[in-house]
């Protein structure tokens, strides 16, 4: 009833002059304790070590504020310290990552709820991470941290330790970059609360935020394709404030991840032996996109605007018009072909022009294929596969009936030969319909002697 009483009283009163109105409190604005210059979006605790040689420079000597999002708590993989596994290992690794980043003064660190997902297929990781939920969480954290620059893993399928989870972090970070500035996306996040001092508000009170630049990095086993594609930071330079080289600061940060043999234990060993060669590689970034003018290899701060930028829409997905009968690599390759264009980062297609993958010698290779029939009549397509000596085709070659305006998904399964030394080999798939070739795909396969990426 109170609003009714107030209304009735007010209509009976003269309109007060401006001087008689009560003074409203000042608006607090966004909480500056969470403001970041750089937001790092990665998959696993210890992934930040891929760029910590640069972060040391940015934090200690350029006084940049850094915030970090991890997609998982690192609940899989071996434990170099003890028996703890699964959720217990994740609980340990969250603390290792927090301590490592705290040593760099980075306290704004969040963990999404993704599980570690072995393999290189980004689509499998996006599924287990509950893509929509992880993206909504990331958009929220972009709006909370308001970064000018996002650094993340390269969303691309390359040979090497190019984990599907890493790629998932890169995909979600790119999507969040493009969505966080749009007030119609997850509008509940950017709706002010009814009464911020009270409970039951149910809207989050953030503001839309448009980052200015996004850069990627890769842990591919070969780095030749990264040259000249973005800024490169030496780790040999000495930190003016810390008086030791950046590689040494990176090694100190990595040493916190002691459950992990290939990072924390490796750093510990480097200190024991006084051998820091592993840490002396430069940090290579790949330019993703920018809303301000810059040179591809310039510093990540180059040209940054000092006032917030308006929302910048991207191209978005546009329907692909095919003709006749055609063959294409499916799965993550088909996804990335359209993802890069949709998010205005189509130049990433030039990084690895020929599709490639690496698998451990003696394990199975899954090759998803799509047979498109964009004609008005049903067709039969014969798929044949050429494999090098020693390989076994378990599933693939067949005649496929494809309905008009449909696509037939084929999962080719090939067993690679065991006991091989590291080598590159070609797999070729050919399609034929009505006696005419409809397409051919060559996939470069790197056989390795190591295990699956972690
Ligand atoms: Zn990782």
């Amino acid at each position: 009833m109170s609003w009714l009483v107030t209304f009735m009283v007010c209509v009976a009163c003269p309109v007060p002059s401006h001087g008689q109105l009560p003074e409203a409190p000042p608006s607090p604005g966004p909480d500056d304790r969470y403001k970041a210059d750089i937001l790092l979006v990665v998959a696993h605790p210890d992934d930040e070590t891929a760029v910590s040689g640069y972060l040391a420079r940015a934090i200690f000597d350029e006084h940049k504020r850094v915030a970090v999002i991890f997609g998982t708590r690192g609940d899989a993989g071996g434990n170099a310290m003890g028996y703890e596994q699964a959720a217990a290992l994740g609980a340990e690794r969250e603390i290792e990552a927090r301590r490592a980043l705290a040593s760099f003064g980075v306290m704004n660190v969040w963990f999404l709820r993704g599980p570690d997902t072995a393999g290189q297929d980004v689509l499998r990781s996006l599924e287990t991470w509950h893509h929509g939920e992880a993206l909504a969480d990331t958009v929220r954290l972009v709006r909370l941290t308001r970064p000018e620059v996002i650094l993340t893993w390269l969303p691309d399928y390359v040979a090497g330790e190019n984990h599907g989870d890493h790629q998932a972090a890169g995909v979600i970070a790119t999507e969040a970059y493009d969505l966080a500035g749009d007030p119609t996306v997850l509008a509940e996040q950017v709706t002010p609360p009814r009464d911020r001092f009270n409970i039951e508000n149910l809207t989050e009170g953030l503001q839309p935020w448009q980052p200015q630049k996004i850069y990627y990095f890769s842990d591919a086993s070969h780095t030749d394709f990264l040259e000249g594609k973005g800024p490169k930071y030496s780790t040999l330079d000495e930190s003016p404030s810390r008086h030791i080289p950046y590689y040494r600061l990176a090694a100190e940060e990595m040493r916190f991840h002691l459950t992990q043999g290939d990072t924390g234990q490796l750093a510990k060993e480097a200190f024991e032996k006084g051998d820091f060669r592993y840490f002396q590689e430069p940090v290579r970034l790949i330019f993703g996109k920018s809303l301000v003018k810059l040179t591809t290899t310039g510093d990540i701060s180059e040209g940054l605007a000092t006032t917030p930028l308006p929302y910048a829409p991207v191209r978005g997905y546009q329907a692909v018009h095919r003709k006749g009968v055609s063959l294409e690599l499916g799965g993550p390759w088909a996804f990335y072909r359209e993802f890069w264009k949709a998010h205005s980062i189509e130049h990433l297609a030039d990084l690895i022009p020929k599709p490639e993958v690496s698998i451990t010698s003696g394990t199975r290779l899954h090759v998803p294929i799509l047979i498109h029939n964009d004609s008005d009549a049903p067709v039969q397509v014969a798929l044949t596969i050429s494999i090098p000596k020693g390989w076994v085709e378990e599933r693939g070659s067949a005649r496929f009936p494809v309905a008009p305006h449909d696509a037939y998904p084929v999962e080719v399964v090939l067993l690679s030969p065991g006991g091989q030394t590291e080598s590159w080999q070609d797999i070729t798939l050919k399609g034929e319909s009505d006696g005419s070739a409809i397409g051919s795909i060559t996939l470069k396969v790197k056989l390795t002697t190591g295990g699956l990426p972690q």
Side-chain angles (χ1 to χ4, degrees), residues 412-430:
V412 175
V413 183
L414 306 169
L415 179 63
S416 67
Q420 300 275 301
T421 52
E422 196 163 290
S423 63
W424 283 96
Q425 304 193 348
D426 283 354
I427 305 287
T428 303
L429 304 101
K430 287 184 177 159

Side-chain angles (χ1 to χ4, degrees), residues 236-257:
L236 301 173
D237 298 346
E238 187 175 297
S239 160
S241 64
R242 297 289 161 133
H243 309 295
I244 53 174
Y246 291 119
Y247 71 78
R248 175 117 187 174
L249 289 164
E252 286 176 3
E253 199 269 352
M254 190 189 276
R255 194 164 48 172
F256 285 89
H257 297 283

Side-chain angles (χ1 to χ4, degrees), residues 43-47 153 163 165-166 219 454:
H44 311 122
D46 90 351
D47 281 0
W153 286 114
H163 201 299
D165 286 348
H166 293 178
D219 59 355
Q454 294 298 322

Side-chain angles (χ1 to χ4, degrees), residues 82-156:
Y83 290 118
E84 298 81 6
Q85 283 289 314
L89 183 58
E92 289 193 347
R93 287 188 168 161
E94 174 175 342
I95 300 303
E96 286 180 344
R98 289 192 186 281
R99 285 182 176 158
L101 286 160
S103 75
F104 270 21
V106 177
M107 310 303 281
N108 293 341
V109 178
W110 291 274
F111 292 79
L112 307 184
R113 291 176 284 278
D116 280 3
T117 306
Q120 264 198 286
D121 186 337
V122 64
L123 300 172
R124 292 164 66 93
S125 293
L126 288 169
E127 174 63 25
T128 63
W129 284 25
H130 301 295
H131 188 170
E133 187 181 306
L135 176 57
D137 287 343
T138 306
V139 168
R140 173 183 296 111
L141 293 170
V142 170
R143 288 167 168 171
L144 180 64
T145 57
R146 298 174 293 130
E148 273 70 42
V149 178
I150 291 181
L151 296 184
T152 187
W153 286 114
L154 179 67
D156 193 1

Side-chain angles (χ1 to χ4, degrees), residues 46-59:
D46 90 351
D47 281 0
E48 84 288 353
T49 62
V51 291
S52 52
Y54 166 70
L55 293 180
R57 177 190 298 264
I59 292 167

Side-chain angles (χ1 to χ4, degrees), residues 296-307:
T296 305
T297 55
D299 183 74
I300 72 163
S301 298
E302 185 184 302
L304 285 178
T306 52
T307 50

